[in-house]
Amino acid sequence: MTISDIIDFVNEERKRKPRSRILSRWTDHQIAKAVLCAIKKNVFAFSTNEKGKIDGFAFGIPRANTAVFDVQFILCSNPRALAHLLLYFKGQFKGWTLRGFRHGSHLQDYNDLDRFEKLVMLQVQKYSRL
């Protein structure tokens, strides 16, 4: 996985969903710079599908003084990728509150992340039968 793969994924999602505002005012350079900064701070995660292709990524800002992890950006092509990313951050920041803007409109705490474990387990079982 390279930063170029992330930029390609963003551009593919922009083409697939032209009406959505996927990093609408961000250039490829700005995306690359934000991803590199998140990797250096160890607050970047990505998910891949069974073919090894990226199907989601996320990064955020940890706020240690309040034990809150603000998800700055998350982009997923399917619900399984979303579940994997949020569960990863839940494990990375144990006991912290995950918080983010849902659909860019209002700030929401992600407290009930255990419901995602069922989605991930169902998908893993489904793929393991193939």
Side-chain angles (χ1 to χ4, degrees):
M1 194 280 306
T2 63
I3 293 176
S4 177
D5 295 335
I6 297 291
I7 293 170
D8 292 342
F9 173 69
V10 170
N11 289 329
E12 287 172 13
E13 288 297 308
R14 284 176 175 168
K15 288 177 187 173
R16 197 172 74 115
K17 303 174 190 173
R19 291 187 168 213
S20 64
R21 299 173 299 185
I22 299 171
L23 293 171
S24 61
R25 297 179 189 207
W26 290 46
T27 64
D28 290 348
H29 176 72
Q30 290 171 325
I31 295 168
K33 192 173 177 182
V35 168
L36 181 62
C37 183
I39 290 171
K40 286 182 179 179
K41 293 180 181 179
N42 200 23
V43 291
F44 177 80
F46 69 96
S47 174
T48 58
N49 60 18
E50 61 275 357
K51 297 177 184 174
K53 190 172 177 185
I54 295 173
D55 63 355
F57 74 95
F59 54 89
I61 302 168
R63 305 198 187 280
N65 57 344
T66 57
V68 171
F69 182 76
D70 284 327
V71 178
Q72 187 177 9
F73 186 78
I74 191 163
L75 176 61
C76 301
S77 61
N78 57 50
R80 185 193 65 83
L82 175 66
H84 276 288
L85 293 171
L86 289 177
L87 288 174
Y88 171 78
F89 285 131
K90 176 187 173 189
Q92 186 80 5
F93 298 98
K94 291 182 180 166
W96 287 35
T97 302
L98 268 66
R99 178 172 71 179
F101 283 98
R102 181 146 175 97
H103 299 292
S105 60
H106 64 282
L107 194 62
Q108 176 181 352
D109 289 347
Y110 298 107
N111 295 325
D112 187 26
L113 295 178
D114 294 332
R115 62 190 167 100
F116 287 120
E117 290 178 10
K118 293 178 183 174
L119 174 66
V120 173
M121 286 190 291
L122 287 173
Q123 293 291 339
V124 169
Q125 289 173 359
K126 178 180 172 186
Y127 292 130
S128 66
R129 289 187 201 144
L130 296 177

